[in-house]
PDB file of all heavy atoms in Angstrom:
ATOM      1  N   LYS W 367      12.716   4.433  19.779  1.00  0.00           N
ATOM      2  CA  LYS W 367      12.821   5.293  18.577  1.00  0.00           C
ATOM      3  C   LYS W 367      11.581   5.423  17.738  1.00  0.00           C
ATOM      4  O   LYS W 367      11.663   5.410  16.559  1.00  0.00           O
ATOM      5  CB  LYS W 367      13.986   4.838  17.706  1.00  0.00           C
ATOM      6  CG  LYS W 367      15.429   4.874  18.333  1.00  0.00           C
ATOM      7  CD  LYS W 367      15.799   6.311  18.709  1.00  0.00           C
ATOM      8  CE  LYS W 367      17.122   6.375  19.381  1.00  0.00           C
ATOM      9  NZ  LYS W 367      17.514   7.731  19.819  1.00  0.00           N
ATOM     10  N   THR W 368      10.472   5.473  18.455  1.00  0.00           N
ATOM     11  CA  THR W 368       9.167   5.639  17.864  1.00  0.00           C
ATOM     12  C   THR W 368       8.262   6.617  18.557  1.00  0.00           C
ATOM     13  O   THR W 368       8.618   6.862  19.742  1.00  0.00           O
ATOM     14  CB  THR W 368       8.299   4.320  17.801  1.00  0.00           C
ATOM     15  OG1 THR W 368       8.183   3.819  19.075  1.00  0.00           O
ATOM     16  CG2 THR W 368       9.030   3.236  16.922  1.00  0.00           C
ATOM     17  N   PRO W 369       7.383   7.352  17.952  1.00  0.00           N
ATOM     18  CA  PRO W 369       6.503   8.294  18.713  1.00  0.00           C
ATOM     19  C   PRO W 369       5.388   7.451  19.367  1.00  0.00           C
ATOM     20  O   PRO W 369       4.227   7.327  18.854  1.00  0.00           O
ATOM     21  CB  PRO W 369       5.930   9.232  17.476  1.00  0.00           C
ATOM     22  CG  PRO W 369       6.074   8.291  16.148  1.00  0.00           C
ATOM     23  CD  PRO W 369       7.309   7.391  16.455  1.00  0.00           C
ATOM     24  N   VAL W 370       5.627   7.079  20.462  1.00  0.00           N
ATOM     25  CA  VAL W 370       4.726   6.097  21.211  1.00  0.00           C
ATOM     26  C   VAL W 370       3.431   6.776  21.574  1.00  0.00           C
ATOM     27  O   VAL W 370       2.436   6.175  21.381  1.00  0.00           O
ATOM     28  CB  VAL W 370       5.472   5.643  22.434  1.00  0.00           C
ATOM     29  CG1 VAL W 370       4.472   4.714  23.348  1.00  0.00           C
ATOM     30  CG2 VAL W 370       6.632   4.762  22.229  1.00  0.00           C
ATOM     31  N   VAL W 371       3.465   8.091  21.950  1.00  0.00           N
ATOM     32  CA  VAL W 371       2.131   8.700  22.299  1.00  0.00           C
ATOM     33  C   VAL W 371       1.257   8.894  21.127  1.00  0.00           C
ATOM     34  O   VAL W 371       0.070   8.655  21.161  1.00  0.00           O
ATOM     35  CB  VAL W 371       2.499  10.071  22.994  1.00  0.00           C
ATOM     36  CG1 VAL W 371       1.190  10.800  23.249  1.00  0.00           C
ATOM     37  CG2 VAL W 371       3.325  10.050  24.186  1.00  0.00           C
ATOM     38  N   ALA W 372       1.907   9.231  19.944  1.00  0.00           N
ATOM     39  CA  ALA W 372       0.913   9.351  18.689  1.00  0.00           C
ATOM     40  C   ALA W 372       0.538   7.889  18.318  1.00  0.00           C
ATOM     41  O   ALA W 372      -0.698   7.836  17.842  1.00  0.00           O
ATOM     42  CB  ALA W 372       1.868   9.858  17.719  1.00  0.00           C
ATOM     43  N   THR W 373       1.300   6.928  18.576  1.00  0.00           N
ATOM     44  CA  THR W 373       0.839   5.592  18.279  1.00  0.00           C
ATOM     45  C   THR W 373      -0.445   5.181  19.121  1.00  0.00           C
ATOM     46  O   THR W 373      -1.340   4.653  18.529  1.00  0.00           O
ATOM     47  CB  THR W 373       1.909   4.555  18.491  1.00  0.00           C
ATOM     48  OG1 THR W 373       3.169   4.900  17.759  1.00  0.00           O
ATOM     49  CG2 THR W 373       1.492   3.110  18.140  1.00  0.00           C
ATOM     50  N   CYS W 374      -0.286   5.443  20.373  1.00  0.00           N
ATOM     51  CA  CYS W 374      -1.434   5.057  21.251  1.00  0.00           C
ATOM     52  C   CYS W 374      -2.685   5.853  20.980  1.00  0.00           C
ATOM     53  O   CYS W 374      -3.777   5.339  21.105  1.00  0.00           O
ATOM     54  CB  CYS W 374      -0.995   5.209  22.640  1.00  0.00           C
ATOM     55  SG  CYS W 374       0.393   4.156  23.237  1.00  0.00           S
ATOM     56  N   LEU W 375      -2.427   7.132  20.775  1.00  0.00           N
ATOM     57  CA  LEU W 375      -3.623   8.097  20.423  1.00  0.00           C
ATOM     58  C   LEU W 375      -4.450   7.496  19.248  1.00  0.00           C
ATOM     59  O   LEU W 375      -5.638   7.483  19.194  1.00  0.00           O
ATOM     60  CB  LEU W 375      -3.097   9.461  20.158  1.00  0.00           C
ATOM     61  CG  LEU W 375      -4.266  10.339  19.661  1.00  0.00           C
ATOM     62  CD1 LEU W 375      -5.173  10.634  20.837  1.00  0.00           C
ATOM     63  CD2 LEU W 375      -3.518  11.819  19.242  1.00  0.00           C
ATOM     64  N   ILE W 376      -3.611   7.183  18.089  1.00  0.00           N
ATOM     65  CA  ILE W 376      -4.290   6.671  16.912  1.00  0.00           C
ATOM     66  C   ILE W 376      -5.174   5.378  17.176  1.00  0.00           C
ATOM     67  O   ILE W 376      -6.179   5.140  16.764  1.00  0.00           O
ATOM     68  CB  ILE W 376      -3.336   6.396  15.767  1.00  0.00           C
ATOM     69  CG1 ILE W 376      -2.782   7.784  15.331  1.00  0.00           C
ATOM     70  CG2 ILE W 376      -4.037   5.627  14.616  1.00  0.00           C
ATOM     71  CD1 ILE W 376      -1.742   7.836  14.277  1.00  0.00           C
ATOM     72  N   GLY W 377      -4.474   4.481  17.932  1.00  0.00           N
ATOM     73  CA  GLY W 377      -5.118   3.269  18.425  1.00  0.00           C
ATOM     74  C   GLY W 377      -6.451   3.462  19.134  1.00  0.00           C
ATOM     75  O   GLY W 377      -7.398   2.823  18.915  1.00  0.00           O
ATOM     76  N   ILE W 378      -6.206   4.383  20.184  1.00  0.00           N
ATOM     77  CA  ILE W 378      -7.488   4.600  20.990  1.00  0.00           C
ATOM     78  C   ILE W 378      -8.528   5.111  20.195  1.00  0.00           C
ATOM     79  O   ILE W 378      -9.745   4.848  20.437  1.00  0.00           O
ATOM     80  CB  ILE W 378      -6.907   5.612  22.217  1.00  0.00           C
ATOM     81  CG1 ILE W 378      -6.143   4.883  23.140  1.00  0.00           C
ATOM     82  CG2 ILE W 378      -8.241   6.104  22.893  1.00  0.00           C
ATOM     83  CD1 ILE W 378      -5.497   5.760  24.143  1.00  0.00           C
ATOM     84  N   VAL W 379      -8.270   6.247  19.336  1.00  0.00           N
ATOM     85  CA  VAL W 379      -9.362   6.825  18.571  1.00  0.00           C
ATOM     86  C   VAL W 379     -10.049   5.800  17.686  1.00  0.00           C
ATOM     87  O   VAL W 379     -11.223   5.699  17.506  1.00  0.00           O
ATOM     88  CB  VAL W 379      -8.867   8.005  17.702  1.00  0.00           C
ATOM     89  CG1 VAL W 379      -9.826   8.565  16.953  1.00  0.00           C
ATOM     90  CG2 VAL W 379      -8.408   9.128  18.720  1.00  0.00           C
ATOM     91  N   ALA W 380      -9.251   4.998  16.968  1.00  0.00           N
ATOM     92  CA  ALA W 380      -9.887   3.999  15.969  1.00  0.00           C
ATOM     93  C   ALA W 380     -10.749   3.076  16.829  1.00  0.00           C
ATOM     94  O   ALA W 380     -11.779   2.704  16.314  1.00  0.00           O
ATOM     95  CB  ALA W 380      -8.717   3.161  15.450  1.00  0.00           C
ATOM     96  N   ILE W 381     -10.494   2.639  18.049  1.00  0.00           N
ATOM     97  CA  ILE W 381     -11.241   1.818  18.858  1.00  0.00           C
ATOM     98  C   ILE W 381     -12.484   2.431  19.254  1.00  0.00           C
ATOM     99  O   ILE W 381     -13.516   1.947  19.226  1.00  0.00           O
ATOM    100  CB  ILE W 381     -10.411   1.257  20.119  1.00  0.00           C
ATOM    101  CG1 ILE W 381      -9.330   0.257  19.653  1.00  0.00           C
ATOM    102  CG2 ILE W 381     -11.428   0.642  21.087  1.00  0.00           C
ATOM    103  CD1 ILE W 381      -8.379  -0.111  20.884  1.00  0.00           C
TER     104      ILE W 381
END
Side-chain angles (χ1 to χ4, degrees):
K367 295 297 181 183
T368 58
V370 174
V371 176
T373 304
C374 294
L375 175 65
I376 289 176
I378 291 169
V379 173
I381 291 173

